[in-house]
């Protein structure tokens, strides 16, 4: 896959990777999660763990066993997140085992994730309850390390995938609960689908839920619903299949919007937010 120049803005950096939607969720929505991958033969055929974040927001670390873990939520230079992540992996592979990457330096030939990783894997996501994945299996569990892990764990907002709604995640954000759904669909069509359901009073994901808007992140649309406090992920899962069916039907509709739907669409568009 061709690589853009180091400063060129790429609005959909994970396009072409398996499980793009969950990679976007790892970057934007989930506090603790991992995903297994492997580099190509050209880049050493090294096992790679994509993680949400690492200690000190390190971009990557070379484990003592020679594997590489890369932090998807770390800051990366340039306008292409995939290029920054690919370069972090390349730098980490060149390190002695047991060493972190503290900063990424882009070069003219810095590769993208699409170039570095073997794309034949399934890239299955694993949402984690703790940051135990930070620990190198051979590391001594000192009191200082245990304290750091405990403090990090305390910052995790409970997050769960919503069964029946692929790439959707429920989160308990304290005063509110949300479901955020990462969609690989044209943004205008997503808005139209929500509009059609909203005009029919069918845009609630489950009983008591309310559609509150959507945002675009890493090139994908992410609608958001508020759930009643205490509902839990079970409330969303109970109606997920039925909601998905009517949403997908609305998404594929080619009928022009009615006058009522056009009025509803104006309010929905006003709630859109863009994250690069």
């Amino acid at each position: 896959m061709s690589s853009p120049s180091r400063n060129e803005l790429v609005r959909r950096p994970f396009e072409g990777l398996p499980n793009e939607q969950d990679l976007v969720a790892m970057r934007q929505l989930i506090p603790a999660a991992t995903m297994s991958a492997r580099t190509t033969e050209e880049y050493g055929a090294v096992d790679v763990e994509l993680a949400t974040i690492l200690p000190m927001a390190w971009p990557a670390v070379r484990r003592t066993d020679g594997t590489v873990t890369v932090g998807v939520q770390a800051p990366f230079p340039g306008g292409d997140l995939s290029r920054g992540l690919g370069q972090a992996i390349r730098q980490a592979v060149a390190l002695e085992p047991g060493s972190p990457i503290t900063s990424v330096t882009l070069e003219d030939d810095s590769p993208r994730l699409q170039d570095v990783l073997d794309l034949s894997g399934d890239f299955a996501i694993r949402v984690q309850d703790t940051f135990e994945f930070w620990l190198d299996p051979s590391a001594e569990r000192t009191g200082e390390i245990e304290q750091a892990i405990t403090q990090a764990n305390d910052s995790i907002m409970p997050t769960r995938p919503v069964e029946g709604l692929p790439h959707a995640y429920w989160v308990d954000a304290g005063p509110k609960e949300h479901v955020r759904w990462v969609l690989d669909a044209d943004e205008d069509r997503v808005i139209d689908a929500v509009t059609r359901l909203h005009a029919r009073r069918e845009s609630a994901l489950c009983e008591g839920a309310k559609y509150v808007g959507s945002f675009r992140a890493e090139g994908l649309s992410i609608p958001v619903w508020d759930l009643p406090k205490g509902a839990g992920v079970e409330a969303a899962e109970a109606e997920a299949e039925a909601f998905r069916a009517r949403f997908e039907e609305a998404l594929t509709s080619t009928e022009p919007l009615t006058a009522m739907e056009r009025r509803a669409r104006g309010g929905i568009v006003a709630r859109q937010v863009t994250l690069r």
Side-chain angles (χ1 to χ4, degrees), residues 162-182:
V162 179
E163 187 174 345
L165 212 59
H167 318 297
Y169 293 89
W170 165 90
V171 59
D172 183 351
K176 291 186 177 181
E177 297 179 21
H178 311 290
V179 169
R180 297 170 291 187
W181 191 13
V182 186

Side-chain angles (χ1 to χ4, degrees), residues 10-15 17 80-82 112 114 218-219:
V10 176
R11 297 189 181 277
R12 191 170 172 178
F14 298 136
E15 186 174 14
L17 288 168
D80 181 7
L81 175 59
S82 178
R112 309 181 74 227
Q114 290 86 340
E218 317 306 346

Side-chain angles (χ1 to χ4, degrees), residues 6-268:
R6 69 177 68 181
N7 292 317
E8 182 179 341
L9 176 61
V10 176
R11 297 189 181 277
R12 191 170 172 178
F14 298 136
E15 186 174 14
L17 288 168
N19 208 356
E20 176 189 7
Q21 288 151 275
D22 282 341
L23 278 167
V24 172
M26 287 178 66
R27 173 71 178 181
Q28 298 290 349
L29 308 181
I30 306 171
T34 56
M35 182 182 288
S36 295
R38 187 172 177 84
T39 64
T40 63
E41 292 289 341
E42 179 183 356
Y43 290 96
V46 174
D47 287 334
V48 172
E49 183 177 62
L50 302 168
T52 46
I53 196 166
L54 294 174
M56 310 294 292
W58 287 333
V61 63
R62 184 81 185 271
R63 302 281 192 175
T64 56
D65 63 1
T67 63
V68 170
T69 302
V70 60
V72 174
Q73 293 180 13
F76 292 94
D80 181 7
L81 175 59
S82 178
R83 183 179 170 93
L85 285 160
Q87 177 65 7
I89 293 172
R90 183 168 78 167
Q91 288 180 218
V93 168
L95 290 178
E96 289 295 320
S99 305
I101 292 289
T102 58
S103 64
V104 173
T105 302
L106 291 181
E107 301 170 358
D108 289 341
D109 64 344
S110 292
R112 309 181 74 227
L113 281 181
Q114 290 86 340
D115 305 315
V116 171
L117 298 182
D118 178 355
L119 305 186
S120 65
D122 61 7
F123 287 64
I125 189 172
R126 292 176 297 281
V127 177
Q128 307 283 357
D129 292 323
T130 74
F131 286 110
E132 290 287 325
F133 64 85
W134 281 359
L135 295 177
D136 195 306
S138 65
E140 179 184 0
R141 296 182 71 106
T142 65
E144 184 179 4
I145 289 175
E146 294 287 358
Q147 182 179 12
I149 293 289
T150 298
Q151 289 177 344
N153 289 344
D154 288 343
S155 70
I156 294 177
M157 292 188 293
T159 303
R160 299 286 184 274
V162 179
E163 187 174 345
L165 212 59
H167 318 297
Y169 293 89
W170 165 90
V171 59
D172 183 351
K176 291 186 177 181
E177 297 179 21
H178 311 290
V179 169
R180 297 170 291 187
W181 191 13
V182 186
L183 294 172
D184 178 12
D186 179 78
E187 184 178 18
D188 283 339
R189 295 191 67 181
V190 170
I191 294 172
D192 282 351
V194 173
T195 295
R196 294 179 195 277
L197 295 179
H198 192 71
R200 303 201 303 258
R201 300 184 182 276
E202 294 180 353
S203 63
L205 173 59
C206 59
E207 185 176 356
K210 179 183 179 182
Y211 171 77
V212 293
S214 68
F215 62 99
R216 188 170 68 251
E218 317 306 346
L220 299 185
S221 296
I222 307 177
V224 181
W225 288 263
D226 281 352
L227 272 60
K229 186 63 180 172
V233 68
E234 296 81 7
E237 290 177 338
E239 301 184 41
E241 291 287 356
F243 178 80
R244 181 184 177 189
R246 66 178 184 264
F247 183 90
E248 289 179 348
E249 181 184 8
L251 189 64
T252 58
S253 175
T254 57
E255 292 296 319
L257 296 178
T258 65
M260 179 184 297
E261 288 170 343
R262 288 196 300 272
R263 287 194 295 272
R265 194 182 196 280
I268 288 170

